[in-house]
Amino acid sequence: FAFFFFLETKHFTEIRDKSFRDWKVSPLLHKEFQAFKGLNYVEFDEAFRLKASFIKTSEVQAFLFPTSTGGSRKYLKIGDLSFKINGKDFALSAFSREIKGVQDLFVPFKDLSNVEQTYSAGRYVYLKMPKDGEAAILDFNLAYNPSCAYGNESFACTLPPRENFLQVEIKAGEKKFISPRNAEILNK
């Protein structure tokens, strides 16, 4: 199964890189676009593809999340995910923009890898809404940076709520973006 999950992650990263090469939707600044060679990811690690118990909230609650541009976005808290990493218990809140027909859960989070290895404001991961009684699959290999991580101020990104700050390093998913221009300077 590990190889299948690796391929799923590879497919995700290829689609993401392809969208960054499309100037109509790319969050890259014009000066970065031409030199873009692809995003950087931590190597796939099956240990960060987790089964999480999911408990729906008894009453859907609306939250206004601050954004990177000083605005806010409304999300609905759908439930809580509980999981273990290295034998320790952790939890994340899961959100959606819709009440009915929720198929995907939006999980903005921060962890101890932020700043040094990953984007300082946090990352996002989406997962399928589990069927009643089933575990959710929380795959941090699919964690990615919000669009504002690339220096383009026209993107407003939802900031993770305090309850989604994990006190552990998530060494999986997309790494911090280093612009191609800065990479050339660093490599000299």
Side-chain angles (χ1 to χ4, degrees), residues 10 12-29 32-41 180:
K10 185 169 174 35
F12 172 81
T13 60
E14 287 171 353
I15 288 172
R16 191 150 165 78
D17 279 357
K18 184 177 179 182
S19 72
F20 272 64
R21 289 185 180 95
D22 181 348
W23 65 270
K24 291 177 255 165
V25 295
S26 179
L28 294 173
L29 295 169
E32 310 287 355
F33 188 80
Q34 295 299 326
F36 178 72
K37 291 183 175 40
L39 297 168
N40 295 310
Y41 298 91

Side-chain angles (χ1 to χ4, degrees), residues 16 20 28 36 38-42 111-123 143-146 148-151 170-180 182-183 186:
R16 191 150 165 78
F20 272 64
L28 294 173
F36 178 72
L39 297 168
N40 295 310
Y41 298 91
V42 177
D111 67 274
L112 297 180
S113 74
N114 297 138
V115 180
E116 295 286 322
Q117 301 159 347
T118 61
Y119 182 54
S120 61
R123 294 180 289 165
Y144 65 95
N145 294 330
C148 57
Y150 309 96
I170 301 298
K171 295 180 182 179
E174 188 177 339
K175 293 180 180 180
K176 178 168 47 176
F177 178 70
I178 298 174
S179 75
N182 290 345
L186 291 172

